[in-house]
Amino acid sequence: MQILKKTTLTQYLIEERRRYPDADGQFNALILDVALACKAISAAVAQGELANLHGNYQEGDGESINIQGETQKKLDVLSNDYFIQMNEWGGNLAGMASEEMEAPYQIPKHYPKGKYLLVFDPLDGSSNIDVNVSIGSIFSILRQKNPAKDQVCDEDFFQPGNEQVAAGYALYGPTTMLVLSVGQGVVGFTLDRVLGEFMLTHEKITINPDTQEFAINASNSRFWEPPIKRYIAECLEGETGPRGKNFNMRWIASMVAEAHRILMRGGVFMYPRDNKDPSKAGKLRLLYEACPIGFLIEQAGGRISTGRAPLLEIQPDNLHQRIGVILGSKNEVERIEAYHQEDLNEETDASPLFGNKGLFRE
Ligand code: P6P
Protein backbone atom coordinates (compact mmCIF):
# COMPACT_ATOMS: atom_id res chain seq x y z
CA MET A 1 0.00 0.00 0.00
CA GLN A 2 1.40 3.41 -0.99
CA ILE A 3 1.16 5.50 2.21
CA LEU A 4 2.13 8.87 0.69
CA LYS A 5 0.31 9.64 -2.53
CA LYS A 6 2.74 12.41 -3.41
CA THR A 7 6.48 12.98 -3.67
CA THR A 8 8.16 15.10 -1.04
CA LEU A 9 10.60 17.90 -1.91
CA THR A 10 13.39 15.77 -0.43
CA GLN A 11 12.55 12.81 -2.67
CA TYR A 12 12.30 15.08 -5.73
CA LEU A 13 15.75 16.55 -5.05
CA ILE A 14 17.36 13.16 -4.44
CA GLU A 15 15.86 11.80 -7.66
CA GLU A 16 17.04 14.89 -9.57
CA ARG A 17 20.51 14.57 -8.02
CA ARG A 18 20.88 11.09 -9.60
CA ARG A 19 21.46 12.93 -12.89
CA TYR A 20 24.73 14.17 -11.38
CA PRO A 21 26.63 11.19 -9.87
CA ASP A 22 29.46 13.50 -8.77
CA ALA A 23 27.11 15.78 -6.85
CA ASP A 24 28.27 16.20 -3.25
CA GLY A 25 24.84 17.03 -1.84
CA GLN A 26 25.53 20.71 -1.07
CA PHE A 27 22.92 21.85 -3.58
CA ASN A 28 20.14 19.65 -2.21
CA ALA A 29 21.00 20.58 1.34
CA LEU A 30 20.85 24.27 0.41
CA ILE A 31 17.42 23.98 -1.23
CA LEU A 32 16.10 22.15 1.86
CA ASP A 33 17.49 24.86 4.17
CA VAL A 34 15.80 27.52 2.02
CA ALA A 35 12.58 25.49 2.15
CA LEU A 36 12.82 25.36 5.96
CA ALA A 37 13.15 29.15 6.09
CA CYS A 38 10.04 29.43 3.91
CA LYS A 39 8.12 27.05 6.21
CA ALA A 40 9.08 29.22 9.20
CA ILE A 41 8.00 32.37 7.34
CA SER A 42 4.74 30.69 6.33
CA ALA A 43 3.97 29.93 9.97
CA ALA A 44 4.78 33.52 11.03
CA VAL A 45 2.71 35.03 8.20
CA ALA A 46 -0.22 32.75 9.12
CA GLN A 47 -0.03 33.88 12.75
CA GLY A 48 0.02 37.55 11.74
CA GLU A 49 -1.42 39.86 14.37
CA LEU A 50 -2.08 36.91 16.70
CA ALA A 51 1.69 37.06 17.28
CA ASN A 52 1.85 40.87 17.03
CA LEU A 53 3.61 40.53 13.65
CA HIS A 54 1.73 43.15 11.66
CA GLY A 55 2.92 46.71 11.40
CA ASN A 56 6.30 48.34 11.03
CA TYR A 57 9.52 47.18 12.63
CA GLN A 58 10.60 49.45 15.46
CA GLU A 59 14.32 50.03 15.94
CA GLY A 60 15.31 52.16 18.90
CA ASP A 61 12.77 54.97 19.15
CA GLY A 62 11.69 54.92 15.53
CA GLU A 63 10.86 52.95 12.44
CA SER A 64 13.58 51.20 10.47
CA ILE A 65 14.32 52.14 6.85
CA ASN A 66 16.07 49.58 4.61
CA ILE A 67 18.64 50.15 1.86
CA GLN A 68 15.74 50.61 -0.58
CA GLY A 69 14.54 53.61 1.43
CA GLU A 70 11.44 51.63 2.40
CA THR A 71 9.96 51.34 5.90
CA GLN A 72 10.61 47.80 7.13
CA LYS A 73 7.71 45.67 8.31
CA LYS A 74 8.19 43.38 11.32
CA LEU A 75 7.77 40.39 9.01
CA ASP A 76 10.38 41.77 6.58
CA VAL A 77 12.97 41.69 9.36
CA LEU A 78 11.86 38.34 10.79
CA SER A 79 11.85 36.73 7.33
CA ASN A 80 15.34 38.01 6.65
CA ASP A 81 16.50 36.61 9.99
CA TYR A 82 14.97 33.21 9.16
CA PHE A 83 16.79 33.07 5.82
CA ILE A 84 20.10 33.91 7.55
CA GLN A 85 19.61 31.50 10.48
CA MET A 86 18.51 28.53 8.38
CA ASN A 87 21.24 28.93 5.75
CA GLU A 88 24.40 30.29 7.41
CA TRP A 89 25.47 27.10 9.24
CA GLY A 90 25.06 24.33 6.60
CA GLY A 91 28.41 24.65 4.83
CA ASN A 92 26.75 25.11 1.43
CA LEU A 93 27.25 28.86 1.02
CA ALA A 94 30.13 31.26 0.43
CA GLY A 95 27.84 34.19 1.25
CA MET A 96 24.37 35.71 0.95
CA ALA A 97 22.77 38.92 -0.32
CA SER A 98 19.32 40.21 0.57
CA GLU A 99 16.96 43.04 -0.34
CA GLU A 100 16.96 43.89 3.37
CA MET A 101 20.74 44.17 3.79
CA GLU A 102 22.95 46.80 2.16
CA ALA A 103 26.09 44.65 2.03
CA PRO A 104 26.53 40.92 1.42
CA TYR A 105 26.28 38.65 4.47
CA GLN A 106 29.55 36.95 5.40
CA ILE A 107 29.31 33.36 6.68
CA PRO A 108 30.51 33.44 10.34
CA LYS A 109 34.02 32.05 10.75
CA HIS A 110 32.83 29.23 13.04
CA TYR A 111 30.74 27.76 10.20
CA PRO A 112 32.14 25.96 7.11
CA LYS A 113 31.74 27.64 3.74
CA GLY A 114 30.38 26.13 0.54
CA LYS A 115 30.37 26.78 -3.19
CA TYR A 116 27.07 28.61 -3.66
CA LEU A 117 25.76 32.14 -3.23
CA LEU A 118 22.19 32.73 -2.04
CA VAL A 119 20.39 35.92 -3.10
CA PHE A 120 16.93 36.60 -1.78
CA ASP A 121 14.03 38.93 -1.18
CA PRO A 122 12.85 37.45 2.11
CA LEU A 123 9.35 38.89 1.92
CA ASP A 124 8.11 40.54 -1.26
CA GLY A 125 4.86 42.47 -1.45
CA SER A 126 5.06 43.70 2.13
CA SER A 127 2.42 46.38 1.59
CA ASN A 128 -0.03 43.46 1.54
CA ILE A 129 0.91 42.01 4.97
CA ASP A 130 -1.46 44.08 7.11
CA VAL A 131 -4.35 43.64 4.67
CA ASN A 132 -4.02 39.85 4.50
CA VAL A 133 -3.22 39.59 0.80
CA SER A 134 -0.77 37.04 -0.65
CA ILE A 135 2.97 37.74 -0.27
CA GLY A 136 6.04 35.69 -1.06
CA SER A 137 9.76 34.97 -0.67
CA ILE A 138 12.03 34.93 -3.72
CA PHE A 139 15.43 33.21 -3.92
CA SER A 140 18.22 32.74 -6.45
CA ILE A 141 21.21 30.40 -6.28
CA LEU A 142 24.51 31.29 -7.98
CA ARG A 143 27.93 29.65 -8.02
CA GLN A 144 30.75 31.37 -6.14
CA LYS A 145 33.22 31.77 -9.00
CA ASN A 146 36.08 32.74 -6.68
CA PRO A 147 36.01 29.85 -4.16
CA ALA A 148 39.43 30.68 -2.71
CA LYS A 149 38.16 33.99 -1.33
CA ASP A 150 37.66 34.23 2.43
CA GLN A 151 35.03 36.97 2.17
CA VAL A 152 32.39 37.63 -0.51
CA CYS A 153 32.04 41.04 -2.09
CA ASP A 154 29.32 42.68 -4.17
CA GLU A 155 31.01 41.73 -7.42
CA ASP A 156 30.71 38.00 -6.66
CA PHE A 157 26.95 38.41 -7.10
CA PHE A 158 27.13 40.34 -10.38
CA GLN A 159 26.11 37.38 -12.56
CA PRO A 160 23.53 37.54 -15.39
CA GLY A 161 20.25 35.76 -14.68
CA ASN A 162 21.01 33.03 -17.21
CA GLU A 163 23.91 31.91 -14.97
CA GLN A 164 21.64 31.03 -12.05
CA VAL A 165 21.95 27.42 -10.86
CA ALA A 166 18.43 27.45 -9.47
CA ALA A 167 15.65 29.86 -8.52
CA GLY A 168 12.32 29.73 -6.80
CA TYR A 169 9.72 31.38 -4.66
CA ALA A 170 7.43 30.56 -1.78
CA LEU A 171 3.91 31.98 -2.08
CA TYR A 172 2.08 32.55 1.20
CA GLY A 173 -1.49 32.45 -0.07
CA PRO A 174 -4.54 30.33 0.74
CA THR A 175 -2.01 27.51 0.50
CA THR A 176 1.74 27.91 0.89
CA MET A 177 3.53 26.78 -2.25
CA LEU A 178 7.17 26.41 -3.19
CA VAL A 179 7.80 26.81 -6.93
CA LEU A 180 11.26 25.80 -8.03
CA SER A 181 13.48 25.29 -11.04
CA VAL A 182 16.87 23.60 -10.92
CA GLY A 183 17.19 24.05 -14.66
CA GLN A 184 14.99 21.10 -15.61
CA GLY A 185 11.67 22.90 -16.04
CA VAL A 186 9.44 24.24 -13.23
CA VAL A 187 7.81 22.22 -10.46
CA GLY A 188 5.43 23.21 -7.67
CA PHE A 189 5.12 21.90 -4.13
CA THR A 190 2.26 22.54 -1.69
CA LEU A 191 2.97 22.66 2.04
CA ASP A 192 1.25 19.84 3.90
CA ARG A 193 0.97 21.42 7.33
CA VAL A 194 0.24 18.10 9.04
CA LEU A 195 3.45 16.51 7.76
CA GLY A 196 5.36 19.81 7.64
CA GLU A 197 6.53 18.77 4.16
CA PHE A 198 6.38 20.40 0.74
CA MET A 199 4.56 17.83 -1.42
CA LEU A 200 4.92 17.74 -5.23
CA THR A 201 1.58 18.89 -6.65
CA HIS A 202 2.57 20.49 -9.99
CA GLU A 203 4.98 18.21 -11.84
CA LYS A 204 5.59 20.31 -14.95
CA ILE A 205 4.45 23.93 -15.02
CA THR A 206 4.33 25.58 -18.47
CA ILE A 207 3.03 28.98 -19.57
CA ASN A 208 0.49 29.40 -22.37
CA PRO A 209 2.24 31.46 -25.09
CA ASP A 210 -0.90 33.58 -25.55
CA THR A 211 -3.11 35.37 -23.05
CA GLN A 212 -5.98 37.77 -22.53
CA GLU A 213 -4.85 39.01 -19.14
CA PHE A 214 -2.34 41.73 -18.30
CA ALA A 215 -1.00 43.11 -15.02
CA ILE A 216 0.35 46.64 -14.61
CA ASN A 217 0.01 49.44 -12.06
CA ALA A 218 -2.25 51.68 -14.18
CA SER A 219 -1.82 54.61 -11.78
CA ASN A 220 1.59 55.14 -13.42
CA SER A 221 0.16 55.40 -16.97
CA ARG A 222 1.12 59.06 -17.41
CA PHE A 223 4.78 58.08 -16.87
CA TRP A 224 4.84 55.16 -19.33
CA GLU A 225 6.98 55.16 -22.47
CA PRO A 226 5.18 55.07 -25.84
CA PRO A 227 5.49 51.28 -26.49
CA ILE A 228 3.79 50.48 -23.18
CA LYS A 229 1.10 53.12 -23.75
CA ARG A 230 0.45 51.60 -27.19
CA TYR A 231 0.27 48.03 -25.88
CA ILE A 232 -2.10 48.84 -23.01
CA ALA A 233 -4.30 51.06 -25.21
CA GLU A 234 -4.71 48.17 -27.68
CA CYS A 235 -5.58 45.77 -24.86
CA LEU A 236 -8.22 48.24 -23.59
CA GLU A 237 -9.72 48.60 -27.08
CA GLY A 238 -10.49 44.89 -26.85
CA GLU A 239 -12.29 43.11 -29.70
CA THR A 240 -13.10 46.46 -31.36
CA GLY A 241 -9.40 47.29 -31.67
CA PRO A 242 -6.32 45.85 -33.40
CA ARG A 243 -6.08 42.91 -31.02
CA GLY A 244 -9.55 41.65 -31.93
CA LYS A 245 -10.07 40.20 -28.47
CA ASN A 246 -11.00 41.46 -25.02
CA PHE A 247 -8.50 41.57 -22.16
CA ASN A 248 -8.82 41.43 -18.39
CA MET A 249 -6.55 43.23 -15.93
CA ARG A 250 -5.10 42.23 -12.57
CA TRP A 251 -2.82 44.05 -10.09
CA ILE A 252 -2.00 42.43 -6.73
CA ALA A 253 1.09 44.53 -5.87
CA SER A 254 2.88 41.29 -5.08
CA MET A 255 5.20 40.11 -7.84
CA VAL A 256 5.26 36.52 -6.56
CA ALA A 257 1.46 36.28 -6.70
CA GLU A 258 1.38 37.80 -10.21
CA ALA A 259 4.11 35.43 -11.41
CA HIS A 260 2.28 32.46 -9.92
CA ARG A 261 -0.95 33.38 -11.68
CA ILE A 262 0.95 33.63 -14.96
CA LEU A 263 2.62 30.25 -14.42
CA MET A 264 -0.80 28.74 -13.71
CA ARG A 265 -2.88 30.30 -16.52
CA GLY A 266 -0.72 32.60 -18.64
CA GLY A 267 -0.66 36.38 -18.71
CA VAL A 268 1.75 39.27 -18.90
CA PHE A 269 3.15 41.32 -16.01
CA MET A 270 4.78 44.70 -16.54
CA TYR A 271 6.64 47.01 -14.22
CA PRO A 272 8.39 48.85 -17.05
CA ARG A 273 11.00 51.56 -16.87
CA ASP A 274 9.03 54.82 -16.78
CA ASN A 275 9.54 58.55 -16.32
CA LYS A 276 8.19 58.65 -12.75
CA ASP A 277 11.73 58.78 -11.36
CA PRO A 278 14.22 59.12 -14.25
CA SER A 279 17.05 58.34 -11.81
CA LYS A 280 15.71 54.79 -11.47
CA ALA A 281 15.83 52.25 -14.33
CA GLY A 282 12.62 50.69 -12.94
CA LYS A 283 11.03 49.75 -9.63
CA LEU A 284 11.88 46.07 -9.36
CA ARG A 285 15.29 44.81 -8.31
CA LEU A 286 17.33 42.82 -10.79
CA LEU A 287 19.24 40.32 -8.66
CA TYR A 288 16.60 39.12 -6.20
CA GLU A 289 13.30 39.81 -7.94
CA ALA A 290 13.57 39.95 -11.74
CA CYS A 291 16.31 37.33 -12.27
CA PRO A 292 14.88 34.50 -10.13
CA ILE A 293 11.29 35.08 -11.24
CA GLY A 294 12.49 35.45 -14.82
CA PHE A 295 14.45 32.19 -14.62
CA LEU A 296 11.25 30.38 -13.63
CA ILE A 297 9.19 32.12 -16.32
CA GLU A 298 11.64 31.13 -19.08
CA GLN A 299 12.09 27.60 -17.73
CA ALA A 300 8.29 27.31 -18.08
CA GLY A 301 8.41 28.46 -21.73
CA GLY A 302 7.61 32.12 -21.14
CA ARG A 303 9.85 35.14 -21.66
CA ILE A 304 11.24 38.02 -19.60
CA SER A 305 12.54 41.24 -21.11
CA THR A 306 13.35 44.83 -20.25
CA GLY A 307 11.43 45.69 -23.44
CA ARG A 308 14.72 46.45 -25.16
CA ALA A 309 16.78 43.36 -24.23
CA PRO A 310 16.40 39.84 -22.84
CA LEU A 311 16.50 40.46 -19.10
CA LEU A 312 18.44 37.31 -18.16
CA GLU A 313 21.35 38.51 -20.31
CA ILE A 314 21.74 41.81 -18.41
CA GLN A 315 25.14 42.10 -16.68
CA PRO A 316 24.49 43.39 -13.13
CA ASP A 317 26.71 46.16 -11.78
CA ASN A 318 25.09 46.87 -8.43
CA LEU A 319 23.69 44.58 -5.72
CA HIS A 320 20.42 46.52 -5.50
CA GLN A 321 20.06 47.80 -9.03
CA ARG A 322 16.57 48.24 -10.42
CA ILE A 323 15.31 47.31 -13.86
CA GLY A 324 12.21 47.50 -16.04
CA VAL A 325 10.40 44.16 -16.21
CA ILE A 326 8.03 42.69 -18.80
CA LEU A 327 7.35 38.98 -18.35
CA GLY A 328 4.90 36.21 -19.11
CA SER A 329 3.31 34.58 -22.15
CA LYS A 330 5.99 34.44 -24.82
CA ASN A 331 3.98 35.79 -27.77
CA GLU A 332 2.73 38.75 -25.73
CA VAL A 333 6.19 39.70 -24.43
CA GLU A 334 7.60 39.45 -27.96
CA ARG A 335 4.85 41.77 -29.19
CA ILE A 336 5.79 44.35 -26.56
CA GLU A 337 9.47 44.01 -27.52
CA ALA A 338 8.50 44.59 -31.17
CA TYR A 339 6.69 47.80 -30.14
CA HIS A 340 9.86 48.97 -28.40
CA GLN A 341 11.91 48.24 -31.52
CA GLU A 342 9.42 50.06 -33.76
CA ASP A 343 9.53 53.04 -31.39
CA LEU A 344 13.32 53.04 -31.52
CA ASN A 345 13.26 52.91 -35.33
CA GLU A 346 10.83 55.85 -35.45
CA GLU A 347 13.07 57.85 -33.08
CA THR A 348 16.09 57.07 -35.24
CA ASP A 349 14.28 57.98 -38.46
CA ALA A 350 13.00 61.18 -36.92
CA SER A 351 16.34 62.15 -35.47
CA PRO A 352 17.66 65.39 -37.09
CA LEU A 353 21.11 63.86 -37.06
CA PHE A 354 20.16 60.57 -38.71
CA GLY A 355 16.88 61.61 -40.36
CA ASN A 356 16.10 61.52 -44.05
CA LYS A 357 18.66 64.22 -44.65
CA GLY A 358 21.43 61.64 -44.69
CA LEU A 359 24.06 60.89 -42.12
CA PHE A 360 25.17 64.48 -41.52
CA ARG A 361 23.22 67.65 -41.05
CA GLU A 362 23.19 69.85 -44.10
P1 P6P B 1 3.37 49.16 -6.52
C1 P6P B 1 6.37 44.85 -3.99
O1 P6P B 1 6.83 45.96 -3.23
C2 P6P B 1 6.96 44.98 -5.39
O2 P6P B 1 8.35 44.99 -5.30
C3 P6P B 1 6.46 43.84 -6.27
O3 P6P B 1 6.27 42.65 -5.58
C4 P6P B 1 5.16 44.38 -6.81
O4 P6P B 1 4.83 43.84 -8.08
C5 P6P B 1 5.43 45.88 -6.91
O5 P6P B 1 6.49 46.18 -5.99
C6 P6P B 1 4.21 46.69 -6.51
O6 P6P B 1 4.50 48.03 -6.78
O7 P6P B 1 3.90 50.39 -7.23
O8 P6P B 1 2.08 48.67 -7.08
O9 P6P B 1 3.30 49.31 -5.01
Side-chain angles (χ1 to χ4, degrees), residues 48-207:
E49 198 53 0
L50 282 175
N52 188 30
L53 286 174
H54 281 181
N56 296 336
Y57 179 69
Q58 301 296 321
E59 192 169 49
D61 56 0
E63 294 182 337
S64 168
I65 307 294
N66 67 11
I67 173 63
Q68 318 293 339
E70 297 162 346
T71 302
Q72 288 183 303
K73 298 285 190 181
K74 293 176 189 173
L75 277 170
D76 284 326
V77 176
L78 180 62
S79 300
N80 193 67
D81 289 347
Y82 279 149
F83 262 88
I84 298 295
Q85 288 169 26
M86 311 297 186
N87 288 284
E88 65 176 345
W89 61 273
N92 311 308
L93 292 175
M96 297 185 237
S98 165
E99 185 202 33
E100 298 299 334
M101 300 185 296
E102 182 170 5
Y105 182 81
Q106 305 298 338
I107 302 299
K109 295 195 183 309
H110 54 278
Y111 291 136
K113 288 188 180 59
K115 59 188 174 186
Y116 295 109
L117 298 169
L118 179 63
V119 195
F120 55 93
D121 181 353
L123 201 59
D124 185 71
S126 302
S127 63
N128 287 323
I129 293 171
D130 296 357
V131 296
N132 201 22
V133 171
S134 298
I135 47 185
S137 302
I138 309 171
F139 62 91
S140 167
I141 297 174
L142 304 168
R143 284 186 185 80
Q144 166 57 306
K145 295 185 174 178
N146 310 297
K149 287 175 67 176
D150 182 43
Q151 297 260 303
V152 290
C153 62
D154 291 16
E155 287 72 10
D156 291 320
F157 296 86
F158 296 174
Q159 301 180 31
N162 52 26
E163 292 186 15
Q164 293 175 95
V165 180
Y169 61 76
L171 177 60
Y172 312 113
T175 68
T176 286
M177 284 193 69
L178 184 77
V179 174
L180 173 70
S181 177
V182 298
Q184 305 291 328
V186 180
V187 289
F189 300 83
T190 302
L191 182 60
D192 179 327
R193 295 190 186 281
V194 173
L195 288 176
E197 280 286 354
F198 279 111
M199 307 303 287
L200 182 63
T201 49
H202 298 69
E203 293 193 29
K204 183 173 174 55
I205 299 174
T206 57
I207 298 180

Side-chain angles (χ1 to χ4, degrees), residues 240-254:
T240 63
R243 301 301 307 276
K245 60 183 183 180
N246 293 327
F247 281 75
N248 203 348
M249 191 189 118
R250 291 286 182 273
W251 190 250
I252 308 173
S254 175

Side-chain angles (χ1 to χ4, degrees), residues 124-125 217 220 251 253-256 269 271 283-285 289:
D124 185 71
N217 182 342
N220 294 324
W251 190 250
S254 175
M255 186 185 192
V256 172
F269 166 90
Y271 216 117
K283 169 162 189 185
L284 303 180
R285 275 62 57 141
E289 289 177 328

Side-chain angles (χ1 to χ4, degrees), residues 8 56 92 136 187 276 290 300 309 313 319 352:
T8 64
N56 296 336
N92 311 308
V187 289
K276 188 171 186 178
E313 293 177 11
L319 211 50

